[in-house]
Amino acid sequence: MTQRTGVVVIGGGQAGLAAGYHLRRLGLDHVILDAAAAPGGAWQHTWESLRLFSPAQYSSLPGRLMPVQEGQVYPDAAHVVNYLAHYEKRYELPVQRGVWVSAVHRDGTFLRVETENGEWRARTVVSATGTWTRPFLPAVPGRRQFTGRQLHTVQYKSPTDFAGQRVIVVGGGNSGAQIAADLAHAGIHLTWVTQRPPRFLADEIDGRALFDVATARRRALAEGRADSGGVASLGDIVAVPPVRAARDAGLLRARPMFARLTEGGVEWADGTGAAADAVIWCTGFRPALAPFAGLRLRGARGRIATVGTRAVGEPRLHLLGYGDWTGPASATLIGVGRPARDAARAIAEQLRP
Ligand code: FAD
């Protein structure tokens, strides 16, 4: 069965909902197709101790402040899932769940969106599929030889799964630091490995300040002033309370990356070795853009070139979330609102008869 609509939004996480909010405000006919069975996007799959790096009110989508979580300055992931579930109900966003979009094709003046439950013909498509379903693992010598457990950030839940084990955490970003701190606090035998020495942001810098820096950078670039380098120039790791506590207790000392994995552990650059039962790869994500393979838009690092949110090679396609290349801070809760609004406005122009 083929259905028609003005806009198909693919993905019902925070980016898809922010798009729905603005499309609805502009009165544009749309549907949000989400593969997941339940609301909350990636937040429903993160590890148990994860805390946001911003207070609740700085983690809000357009239109509705995130309520404060009782007893917590930095809310946990379950709080975000609740917030997103209420958000889509409150704004009566047309989310269809359990719908996996397999492909998008050009079809005359339409884009044809194929799913396991039938297809849609849409005048425009917003891709808000996130990155969580595309964990990235680097090519490291010996990875197949290692007989212990290897998992990515997306599979990590809690230190109780590693009781009595020697664990190596790879990665100097927020996920690596938070998971390393989680294991260290639980007394797990931890080796934290990073490609370059970890760069902790100053303790007073959290998501609020990061958002301000991203906003200042956007303004500077828009006004033709010099690029300040944005958030990346400040550091990589937000010192959320558990990370700060582990760092201050001397539990977060990173070693440089190992040379290779061996059958029973790792070999360091100097030829010495260390035994390990598990390696947790906190090595990032790539954008989940498989449905667009047939449009032949992919460029470097698996991205699609954009101007604002619009795909350069297919003006009927907009991308939201993912990273700064689709708008400053657009892969954060507070940051996705502006690019979502801009995308909806651009779409309104496109759909104007
Ligand atoms: P997602 O939340 O991943 O949602 C995408 C949705 O699309 C999913 O429901 C998925 O099932 C669906 N989907 C994917 N492919 C398809 C398909 N082909 N067909 C149909 N549906 C599909 N941000 C903050 O603001 N504050 C923080 O403190 C913070 N901490 C973070 C900590 C970690 C460890 C990580 C990884 C990220 C953090 N972020 C934080 C960043 C950001 O908020 C998240 O990455 C966010 O989940 C991105 O939202 P999204 O809507 O783009 O993608």
Side-chain angles (χ1 to χ4, degrees), residues 214-230 328:
T215 307
R217 182 187 191 212
R218 177 178 50 74
R219 280 207 195 108
L221 291 176
E223 291 164 12
R225 285 183 277 126
D227 186 352
S228 57

Side-chain angles (χ1 to χ4, degrees), residues 182-233:
D182 203 27
L183 292 163
H185 285 306
I188 305 294
H189 184 289
L190 164 76
T191 307
W192 184 31
V193 173
T194 59
Q195 219 158 22
R196 59 179 183 185
R199 298 192 311 152
F200 292 95
L201 289 151
D203 288 359
E204 68 279 10
I205 296 187
D206 64 11
R208 284 173 286 201
L210 295 179
F211 183 67
D212 290 344
V213 171
T215 307
R217 182 187 191 212
R218 177 178 50 74
R219 280 207 195 108
L221 291 176
E223 291 164 12
R225 285 183 277 126
D227 186 352
S228 57
V231 168
S233 64

Side-chain angles (χ1 to χ4, degrees), residues 9-17 33-47 50-54 58-60 75 80 84 96-103 114-115 127-133 153 174-175 178-179 207 240 285 288-292 320-322 329-336:
V9 179
I10 308 175
Q14 63 200 40
L17 299 189
L33 306 179
D34 189 25
W43 297 105
Q44 51 194 313
H45 307 298
T46 63
W47 61 93
L50 180 137
R51 291 283 177 278
L52 292 192
F53 49 68
S54 310
Y58 278 81
S59 304
S60 303
V80 184
L84 295 179
Q96 297 193 10
R97 288 243 142 66
V99 182
W100 172 258
V101 172
S102 49
E114 292 178 0
T115 84
S127 178
T129 52
T131 58
W132 191 258
T133 54
T153 310
N174 284 299
S175 308
Q178 286 198 28
I179 290 175
V240 290
F285 300 85
L289 297 174
F292 308 102
L320 270 188
Y322 306 111
S330 76
T332 64
L333 284 153
I334 195 169
V336 74

